[in-house]
Amino acid sequence: MNKRRILGLASLLFLITLGGCQKTTALKTEEYDLAIIDSKNITTFLEKDDKLEKVEQLKRTDGNLNFWRNNFWTMDNHYYTKTSENPKLEVSLAKIGRDLAIDLVKAEGNDAYTSNVDGEFFYTTACFSDRTEFYKYDKNLKLQLKKELRKKESILTNQLIPLGEYLYVLCGYTNPDDGSSKNMLVKMTKEFEVIEETNLGDETSAYMRMVHFQNKLYITEANTGMSATGEPGEANRVLVYDLATKNKAYLTLTYPYPMEIYVDEPNENLIIRHYELYVKSYTWSVYNLKDQSESFIHFPEYEKLEQEKHINPPFFTQDSGYYYFMFDDQLTKYDPKTNTPIKLDLSAYDFEDTSALIMNK
Protein backbone atom coordinates (compact mmCIF):
# COMPACT_ATOMS: atom_id res chain seq x y z
CA MET A 1 0.00 0.00 0.00
CA ASN A 2 1.31 3.46 -0.90
CA LYS A 3 2.26 5.29 2.28
CA ARG A 4 0.45 8.34 0.92
CA ARG A 5 -2.90 6.63 1.25
CA ILE A 6 -4.47 8.28 4.28
CA LEU A 7 -7.02 5.51 4.58
CA GLY A 8 -4.22 3.15 5.52
CA LEU A 9 -2.65 5.30 8.20
CA ALA A 10 -4.28 3.52 11.09
CA SER A 11 -2.27 0.41 10.27
CA LEU A 12 1.13 2.10 10.06
CA LEU A 13 2.99 0.88 13.15
CA PHE A 14 6.65 0.13 13.54
CA LEU A 15 7.55 -3.51 14.16
CA ILE A 16 9.85 -4.18 17.08
CA THR A 17 10.87 -7.18 19.15
CA LEU A 18 8.45 -8.51 21.73
CA GLY A 19 9.77 -11.18 24.03
CA GLY A 20 7.86 -13.75 26.01
CA CYS A 21 7.85 -11.91 29.32
CA GLN A 22 4.36 -10.83 30.29
CA LYS A 23 5.22 -8.30 33.00
CA THR A 24 8.08 -5.93 33.57
CA THR A 25 9.98 -6.45 36.82
CA ALA A 26 11.79 -3.10 36.81
CA LEU A 27 9.40 -1.12 38.97
CA LYS A 28 10.01 2.45 40.04
CA THR A 29 11.82 2.96 43.35
CA GLU A 30 11.43 6.72 43.69
CA GLU A 31 8.62 9.19 43.15
CA TYR A 32 8.41 10.97 39.80
CA ASP A 33 6.28 13.44 37.85
CA LEU A 34 6.57 11.91 34.40
CA ALA A 35 8.12 8.84 32.82
CA ILE A 36 9.25 8.31 29.24
CA ILE A 37 9.11 4.82 27.76
CA ASP A 38 11.43 4.17 24.83
CA SER A 39 12.54 0.93 23.19
CA LYS A 40 15.08 0.07 25.92
CA ASN A 41 14.26 1.85 29.18
CA ILE A 42 11.74 3.67 31.31
CA THR A 43 13.23 6.97 32.47
CA THR A 44 11.56 8.99 35.22
CA PHE A 45 11.77 12.74 35.86
CA LEU A 46 10.68 15.45 38.24
CA GLU A 47 9.41 18.61 36.59
CA LYS A 48 10.60 21.77 38.35
CA ASP A 49 10.29 25.32 37.06
CA ASP A 50 9.68 24.08 33.52
CA LYS A 51 12.80 21.94 33.62
CA LEU A 52 13.24 18.19 33.85
CA GLU A 53 15.34 16.57 36.55
CA LYS A 54 16.15 12.91 35.99
CA VAL A 55 15.20 10.57 38.84
CA GLU A 56 16.11 7.07 37.63
CA GLN A 57 16.33 4.87 34.57
CA LEU A 58 14.76 1.41 34.64
CA LYS A 59 15.78 -1.36 32.25
CA ARG A 60 12.76 -2.74 30.44
CA THR A 61 12.07 -6.45 30.82
CA ASP A 62 8.81 -6.66 28.86
CA GLY A 63 10.32 -7.24 25.43
CA ASN A 64 11.10 -3.63 24.42
CA LEU A 65 7.81 -3.17 22.58
CA ASN A 66 6.29 -0.05 21.11
CA PHE A 67 2.88 1.19 22.22
CA TRP A 68 -0.04 2.48 20.20
CA ARG A 69 0.14 6.18 20.88
CA ASN A 70 -3.10 7.18 19.13
CA ASN A 71 -5.28 4.98 21.35
CA PHE A 72 -3.76 5.42 24.79
CA TRP A 73 -6.39 5.52 27.50
CA THR A 74 -6.45 6.18 31.25
CA MET A 75 -8.62 4.11 33.59
CA ASP A 76 -8.31 3.56 37.33
CA ASN A 77 -4.76 5.01 37.50
CA HIS A 78 -3.57 2.75 34.70
CA TYR A 79 -2.99 3.22 31.00
CA TYR A 80 -4.48 0.86 28.39
CA THR A 81 -3.31 0.42 24.82
CA LYS A 82 -1.86 -2.22 22.47
CA THR A 83 1.64 -3.15 21.35
CA SER A 84 3.13 -3.41 17.90
CA GLU A 85 3.75 -6.83 16.41
CA ASN A 86 6.45 -9.22 17.58
CA PRO A 87 8.49 -11.39 15.17
CA LYS A 88 5.60 -13.89 15.17
CA LEU A 89 3.30 -11.04 14.06
CA GLU A 90 1.45 -11.21 17.37
CA VAL A 91 -0.14 -8.16 18.98
CA SER A 92 -0.66 -7.81 22.74
CA LEU A 93 -2.87 -5.59 24.84
CA ALA A 94 -0.98 -3.58 27.44
CA LYS A 95 -1.82 -2.25 30.89
CA ILE A 96 0.74 0.21 32.31
CA GLY A 97 0.61 1.18 35.99
CA ARG A 98 1.82 4.34 37.69
CA ASP A 99 4.38 2.06 39.38
CA LEU A 100 5.54 1.43 35.77
CA ALA A 101 4.57 -2.24 35.78
CA ILE A 102 3.56 -3.39 32.29
CA ASP A 103 1.10 -6.28 31.92
CA LEU A 104 0.68 -7.89 28.50
CA VAL A 105 -2.04 -10.19 27.20
CA LYS A 106 -2.24 -11.49 23.64
CA ALA A 107 -4.98 -9.60 21.82
CA GLU A 108 -8.04 -11.48 20.69
CA GLY A 109 -8.21 -11.26 16.92
CA ASN A 110 -4.50 -10.39 17.07
CA ASP A 111 -5.32 -6.69 16.89
CA ALA A 112 -7.01 -3.70 18.43
CA TYR A 113 -7.98 -1.67 15.39
CA THR A 114 -9.53 0.88 17.68
CA SER A 115 -10.09 0.91 21.44
CA ASN A 116 -11.41 2.89 24.39
CA VAL A 117 -12.32 2.61 28.08
CA ASP A 118 -15.38 3.55 30.10
CA GLY A 119 -14.10 3.39 33.68
CA GLU A 120 -14.96 -0.29 34.05
CA PHE A 121 -14.02 -2.02 30.80
CA PHE A 122 -11.52 -1.87 27.94
CA TYR A 123 -13.15 -2.19 24.50
CA THR A 124 -11.28 -3.17 21.33
CA THR A 125 -12.03 -4.30 17.78
CA ALA A 126 -10.41 -6.39 15.06
CA CYS A 127 -11.35 -5.97 11.40
CA PHE A 128 -11.40 -8.77 8.82
CA SER A 129 -12.60 -8.88 5.23
CA ASP A 130 -15.77 -10.79 6.13
CA ARG A 131 -16.49 -9.57 9.66
CA THR A 132 -15.59 -7.17 12.44
CA GLU A 133 -15.07 -8.51 15.95
CA PHE A 134 -15.75 -6.54 19.15
CA TYR A 135 -14.14 -7.41 22.50
CA LYS A 136 -14.79 -6.32 26.06
CA TYR A 137 -12.04 -6.78 28.68
CA ASP A 138 -12.04 -6.09 32.39
CA LYS A 139 -9.39 -3.98 34.10
CA ASN A 140 -7.07 -6.98 34.32
CA LEU A 141 -7.30 -7.61 30.55
CA LYS A 142 -9.47 -10.69 31.03
CA LEU A 143 -11.88 -11.14 28.13
CA GLN A 144 -15.52 -10.71 29.21
CA LEU A 145 -17.36 -10.66 25.89
CA LYS A 146 -16.73 -11.20 22.19
CA LYS A 147 -19.19 -10.64 19.33
CA GLU A 148 -19.05 -10.49 15.55
CA LEU A 149 -20.66 -7.99 13.21
CA ARG A 150 -21.13 -9.42 9.72
CA LYS A 151 -22.43 -7.52 6.72
CA LYS A 152 -22.08 -7.60 2.97
CA GLU A 153 -19.72 -4.65 3.26
CA SER A 154 -16.30 -4.84 4.85
CA ILE A 155 -16.12 -2.64 7.93
CA LEU A 156 -13.27 -0.61 9.38
CA THR A 157 -13.81 0.69 12.90
CA ASN A 158 -11.95 4.01 12.95
CA GLN A 159 -12.99 5.22 16.41
CA LEU A 160 -15.01 3.93 19.35
CA ILE A 161 -16.42 6.12 22.11
CA PRO A 162 -18.38 4.88 25.18
CA LEU A 163 -21.15 7.31 26.16
CA GLY A 164 -23.49 6.44 28.99
CA GLU A 165 -24.97 3.01 28.33
CA TYR A 166 -23.91 2.91 24.70
CA LEU A 167 -20.94 2.65 22.38
CA TYR A 168 -20.65 4.90 19.33
CA VAL A 169 -18.43 3.51 16.59
CA LEU A 170 -17.21 5.50 13.59
CA CYS A 171 -17.01 3.04 10.71
CA GLY A 172 -16.03 2.99 7.07
CA TYR A 173 -18.21 0.57 5.05
CA THR A 174 -16.86 -0.65 1.70
CA ASN A 175 -19.02 -2.51 -0.82
CA PRO A 176 -17.03 -5.45 -2.27
CA ASP A 177 -19.02 -5.39 -5.53
CA ASP A 178 -18.21 -1.89 -6.74
CA GLY A 179 -15.73 -0.55 -4.17
CA SER A 180 -18.07 2.25 -3.09
CA SER A 181 -17.76 3.40 0.50
CA LYS A 182 -19.77 5.25 3.10
CA ASN A 183 -19.16 6.72 6.52
CA MET A 184 -21.35 5.17 9.19
CA LEU A 185 -21.98 5.92 12.85
CA VAL A 186 -23.02 2.73 14.63
CA LYS A 187 -24.73 2.93 18.02
CA MET A 188 -24.40 -0.22 20.13
CA THR A 189 -25.16 -1.46 23.59
CA LYS A 190 -22.15 -2.39 25.67
CA GLU A 191 -23.03 -5.99 24.88
CA PHE A 192 -22.38 -5.12 21.19
CA GLU A 193 -25.98 -5.24 20.05
CA VAL A 194 -26.51 -2.77 17.21
CA ILE A 195 -29.20 -0.21 18.04
CA GLU A 196 -28.88 2.20 15.14
CA GLU A 197 -26.77 2.84 12.04
CA THR A 198 -26.51 6.37 10.66
CA ASN A 199 -25.08 7.22 7.26
CA LEU A 200 -23.01 10.37 7.77
CA GLY A 201 -22.87 11.11 4.04
CA ASP A 202 -19.83 12.53 2.23
CA GLU A 203 -19.21 9.14 0.62
CA THR A 204 -15.94 10.16 -1.02
CA SER A 205 -14.51 11.45 2.25
CA ALA A 206 -12.47 9.51 4.78
CA TYR A 207 -13.74 10.22 8.28
CA MET A 208 -10.87 9.19 10.52
CA ARG A 209 -11.26 10.06 14.24
CA MET A 210 -13.80 11.60 16.60
CA VAL A 211 -14.23 13.01 20.08
CA HIS A 212 -17.28 13.79 22.20
CA PHE A 213 -18.04 17.12 23.85
CA GLN A 214 -21.36 18.53 25.12
CA ASN A 215 -23.47 15.88 23.38
CA LYS A 216 -21.82 16.40 20.02
CA LEU A 217 -19.35 14.29 18.09
CA TYR A 218 -16.49 16.08 16.35
CA ILE A 219 -15.21 13.97 13.45
CA THR A 220 -12.15 14.73 11.32
CA GLU A 221 -12.44 14.56 7.54
CA ALA A 222 -8.95 13.31 6.72
CA ASN A 223 -9.29 13.52 2.94
CA THR A 224 -11.88 13.67 0.22
CA GLY A 225 -11.53 11.21 -2.62
CA MET A 226 -8.39 10.71 -4.68
CA SER A 227 -6.88 13.00 -7.28
CA ALA A 228 -5.93 11.93 -10.81
CA THR A 229 -2.35 11.47 -9.59
CA GLY A 230 -3.45 9.09 -6.87
CA GLU A 231 -3.02 11.57 -4.04
CA PRO A 232 -5.73 11.95 -1.37
CA GLY A 233 -7.95 14.92 -2.03
CA GLU A 234 -7.45 17.88 0.29
CA ALA A 235 -9.98 18.27 3.09
CA ASN A 236 -10.00 20.77 5.94
CA ARG A 237 -13.24 20.14 7.80
CA VAL A 238 -14.47 18.69 11.06
CA LEU A 239 -17.97 17.23 10.97
CA VAL A 240 -20.07 18.21 13.99
CA TYR A 241 -22.79 15.65 14.64
CA ASP A 242 -25.44 16.53 17.23
CA LEU A 243 -26.47 13.33 19.04
CA ALA A 244 -29.77 14.82 20.21
CA THR A 245 -31.03 16.34 16.94
CA LYS A 246 -28.91 14.24 14.51
CA ASN A 247 -28.14 17.46 12.66
CA LYS A 248 -24.81 17.93 10.92
CA ALA A 249 -22.62 21.02 10.73
CA TYR A 250 -18.99 21.62 9.81
CA LEU A 251 -16.00 23.46 11.21
CA THR A 252 -13.53 24.76 8.62
CA LEU A 253 -9.85 24.56 9.50
CA THR A 254 -6.99 26.62 8.12
CA TYR A 255 -4.80 23.58 7.53
CA PRO A 256 -5.92 20.48 5.61
CA TYR A 257 -5.67 16.75 6.27
CA PRO A 258 -6.84 16.64 9.90
CA MET A 259 -6.17 13.29 11.54
CA GLU A 260 -6.23 12.61 15.30
CA ILE A 261 -8.49 14.82 17.37
CA TYR A 262 -8.62 15.38 21.13
CA VAL A 263 -10.73 17.60 23.37
CA ASP A 264 -9.64 19.91 26.20
CA GLU A 265 -12.94 20.26 28.02
CA PRO A 266 -12.08 23.02 30.56
CA ASN A 267 -10.84 25.33 27.80
CA GLU A 268 -13.35 24.08 25.20
CA ASN A 269 -10.56 23.36 22.73
CA LEU A 270 -10.24 20.78 20.02
CA ILE A 271 -6.62 19.69 19.49
CA ILE A 272 -6.07 18.35 15.98
CA ARG A 273 -3.06 16.75 14.30
CA HIS A 274 -2.54 17.26 10.56
CA TYR A 275 -0.90 14.65 8.37
CA GLU A 276 2.78 15.61 8.20
CA LEU A 277 3.33 14.25 4.69
CA TYR A 278 1.16 17.06 3.29
CA VAL A 279 1.31 19.69 6.05
CA LYS A 280 4.83 20.70 7.02
CA SER A 281 6.34 21.16 10.46
CA TYR A 282 4.26 18.48 12.20
CA THR A 283 1.46 21.00 12.54
CA TRP A 284 -1.33 20.85 15.14
CA SER A 285 -4.38 23.11 15.34
CA VAL A 286 -6.07 24.24 18.54
CA TYR A 287 -9.66 25.16 17.70
CA ASN A 288 -11.54 27.06 20.39
CA LEU A 289 -15.24 26.20 20.29
CA LYS A 290 -16.33 29.25 22.30
CA ASP A 291 -15.14 31.90 19.85
CA GLN A 292 -14.36 29.65 16.85
CA SER A 293 -10.77 30.81 16.73
CA GLU A 294 -7.65 28.85 15.84
CA SER A 295 -4.09 28.79 17.08
CA PHE A 296 -1.32 26.59 15.78
CA ILE A 297 1.56 24.53 17.09
CA HIS A 298 4.44 23.87 14.69
CA PHE A 299 7.62 21.83 14.93
CA PRO A 300 9.75 23.17 12.02
CA GLU A 301 12.90 21.71 13.58
CA TYR A 302 11.78 18.29 12.31
CA GLU A 303 11.10 19.19 8.69
CA LYS A 304 14.55 18.18 7.46
CA LEU A 305 14.42 14.89 9.35
CA GLU A 306 11.00 14.13 7.88
CA GLN A 307 12.43 14.66 4.39
CA GLU A 308 15.31 12.29 5.12
CA LYS A 309 13.22 9.57 6.73
CA HIS A 310 9.70 9.33 8.08
CA ILE A 311 9.49 9.78 11.84
CA ASN A 312 6.49 9.36 14.04
CA PRO A 313 4.44 12.43 14.95
CA PRO A 314 4.83 13.33 18.61
CA PHE A 315 3.14 11.41 21.38
CA PHE A 316 0.40 13.70 22.73
CA THR A 317 -1.14 13.92 26.17
CA GLN A 318 -2.74 16.49 28.48
CA ASP A 319 -2.02 17.07 32.16
CA SER A 320 -2.70 19.85 34.69
CA GLY A 321 -3.96 22.23 32.01
CA TYR A 322 -0.96 21.77 29.69
CA TYR A 323 -0.49 19.92 26.42
CA TYR A 324 2.61 17.71 26.05
CA PHE A 325 4.12 16.77 22.67
CA MET A 326 6.97 14.25 22.83
CA PHE A 327 9.56 13.46 20.16
CA ASP A 328 12.62 11.30 20.84
CA ASP A 329 14.83 14.30 21.59
CA GLN A 330 12.37 16.93 22.77
CA LEU A 331 9.32 17.35 24.97
CA THR A 332 7.23 20.45 24.36
CA LYS A 333 4.97 21.71 27.12
CA TYR A 334 2.28 23.99 25.71
CA ASP A 335 0.10 26.43 27.65
CA PRO A 336 -3.22 26.76 25.75
CA LYS A 337 -4.24 29.86 27.70
CA THR A 338 -1.24 31.87 26.53
CA ASN A 339 -0.38 29.85 23.40
CA THR A 340 3.13 29.53 24.77
CA PRO A 341 5.37 26.50 24.10
CA ILE A 342 8.20 25.50 26.40
CA LYS A 343 10.83 23.23 24.83
CA LEU A 344 12.39 20.65 27.14
CA ASP A 345 15.55 19.11 25.70
CA LEU A 346 15.76 15.29 25.81
CA SER A 347 18.78 14.83 23.55
CA ALA A 348 21.14 13.98 26.42
CA TYR A 349 19.23 10.75 27.15
CA ASP A 350 19.62 9.08 23.73
CA PHE A 351 16.01 7.95 23.62
CA GLU A 352 15.16 5.60 20.77
CA ASP A 353 11.59 5.07 19.55
CA THR A 354 9.78 6.77 22.43
CA SER A 355 6.19 5.57 22.48
CA ALA A 356 4.64 6.55 25.80
CA LEU A 357 4.65 9.44 28.27
CA ILE A 358 3.32 8.46 31.69
CA MET A 359 2.08 11.31 33.89
CA ASN A 360 2.19 10.88 37.68
CA LYS A 361 1.33 14.32 39.07
Side-chain angles (χ1 to χ4, degrees):
M1 183 179 293
N2 191 313
K3 75 172 184 176
R4 293 173 181 268
R5 290 290 301 275
I6 292 226
L7 288 174
L9 285 177
S11 64
L12 293 179
L13 293 171
F14 287 95
L15 301 183
I16 43 75
T17 300
L18 176 62
C21 181
Q22 292 299 298
K23 185 168 184 176
T24 183
T25 56
L27 305 183
K28 66 128 181 141
T29 62
E30 300 180 51
E31 291 305 312
Y32 68 96
D33 291 329
L34 58 89
I36 295 174
I37 302 179
D38 73 336
S39 62
K40 297 179 180 178
N41 303 298
I42 304 175
T43 308
T44 61
F45 297 89
L46 295 175
E47 186 178 353
K48 296 181 178 180
D49 300 322
D50 294 325
K51 293 182 180 180
L52 295 181
E53 179 182 299
K54 180 181 173 182
V55 177
E56 61 181 335
Q57 191 169 75
L58 309 169
K59 188 68 176 177
R60 293 183 60 184
T61 60
D62 53 49
N64 300 350
L65 63 154
N66 251 341
F67 297 109
W68 193 19
R69 58 181 64 202
N70 297 332
N71 279 252
F72 203 87
W73 309 106
T74 305
M75 178 169 62
D76 194 26
N77 289 319
H78 289 81
Y79 294 88
Y80 291 80
T81 185
K82 77 170 182 179
T83 72
S84 52
E85 295 172 333
N86 67 8
K88 296 181 180 180
L89 303 182
E90 295 172 338
V91 172
S92 291
L93 303 180
K95 173 185 175 182
I96 307 171
R98 300 294 173 90
D99 62 355
L100 304 179
I102 301 174
D103 294 319
L104 302 178
V105 172
K106 188 178 183 301
E108 293 284 334
N110 201 38
D111 201 0
Y113 199 85
T114 189
S115 67
N116 215 322
V117 297
D118 67 357
E120 293 294 330
F121 298 100
F122 180 35
Y123 301 90
T124 72
T125 69
C127 302
F128 305 90
S129 60
D130 63 339
R131 70 194 187 283
T132 297
E133 295 181 352
F134 293 81
Y135 314 101
K136 181 179 183 178
Y137 299 87
D138 66 16
K139 294 178 181 179
N140 295 316
L141 301 180
K142 183 177 180 181
L143 183 66
Q144 301 296 305
L145 181 65
K146 170 186 173 181
K147 282 200 174 181
E148 294 182 356
L149 177 61
R150 289 181 179 266
K151 289 185 172 292
K152 175 182 178 180
E153 301 94 342
S154 62
I155 303 173
L156 290 181
T157 51
N158 291 320
Q159 187 80 68
L160 182 153
I161 296 180
L163 291 175
E165 299 301 314
Y166 299 101
L167 303 174
Y168 289 85
V169 190
L170 176 65
C171 298
Y173 283 21
T174 302
N175 188 317
D177 294 336
D178 58 12
S180 62
S181 60
K182 54 187 176 181
N183 298 292
M184 302 294 293
L185 182 66
V186 179
K187 180 181 179 182
M188 295 179 150
T189 68
K190 291 185 175 179
E191 286 69 47
F192 306 132
E193 298 293 338
V194 175
I195 301 297
E196 184 178 36
E197 295 174 281
T198 302
N199 189 337
L200 297 174
D202 303 315
E203 281 77 11
T204 63
S205 297
Y207 284 151
M208 189 60 62
R209 300 285 185 265
M210 66 180 178
V211 292
H212 171 258
F213 181 61
Q214 293 182 346
N215 210 36
K216 295 179 180 179
L217 296 175
Y218 293 85
I219 306 171
T220 56
E221 184 182 28
N223 70 282
T224 175
M226 302 296 290
S227 70
T229 61
E231 300 289 342
E234 184 174 300
N236 64 338
R237 300 188 304 178
V238 173
L239 168 64
V240 184
Y241 182 80
D242 191 309
L243 289 169
T245 66
K246 301 184 181 180
N247 291 333
K248 297 194 306 180
Y250 296 89
L251 305 177
T252 301
L253 305 173
T254 297
Y255 288 97
Y257 301 107
M259 296 294 295
E260 277 76 44
I261 183 169
Y262 306 87
V263 62
D264 168 10
E265 294 189 6
N267 292 311
E268 297 188 30
N269 285 336
L270 300 176
I271 307 128
I272 302 164
R273 180 177 80 83
H274 301 271
Y275 185 31
E276 63 277 358
L277 186 62
Y278 297 100
V279 182
K280 293 182 178 180
S281 302
Y282 290 84
T283 294
W284 294 64
S285 294
V286 179
Y287 191 99
N288 185 263
L289 294 169
K290 288 183 291 186
D291 55 22
Q292 297 187 334
S293 64
E294 291 177 282
S295 58
F296 309 104
I297 305 167
H298 304 283
F299 299 94
E301 59 268 39
Y302 293 100
E303 275 190 35
K304 183 179 179 181
L305 187 58
E306 167 60 23
Q307 293 171 0
E308 295 172 352
K309 66 173 184 177
H310 180 75
I311 61 172
N312 279 329
F315 180 97
F316 173 77
T317 192
Q318 304 178 61
D319 191 79
S320 303
Y322 292 92
Y323 306 159
Y324 289 83
F325 301 86
M326 182 181 67
F327 289 92
D328 282 358
D329 61 352
Q330 179 178 270
L331 178 62
T332 296
K333 178 181 178 181
Y334 182 84
D335 186 342
K337 294 181 178 179
T338 62
N339 297 326
T340 303
I342 299 168
K343 307 283 188 177
L344 304 173
D345 187 17
L346 301 176
S347 60
Y349 304 102
D350 296 320
F351 291 135
E352 183 176 319
D353 292 334
T354 55
S355 62
L357 179 64
I358 306 299
M359 310 303 292
N360 191 44
K361 297 181 179 182

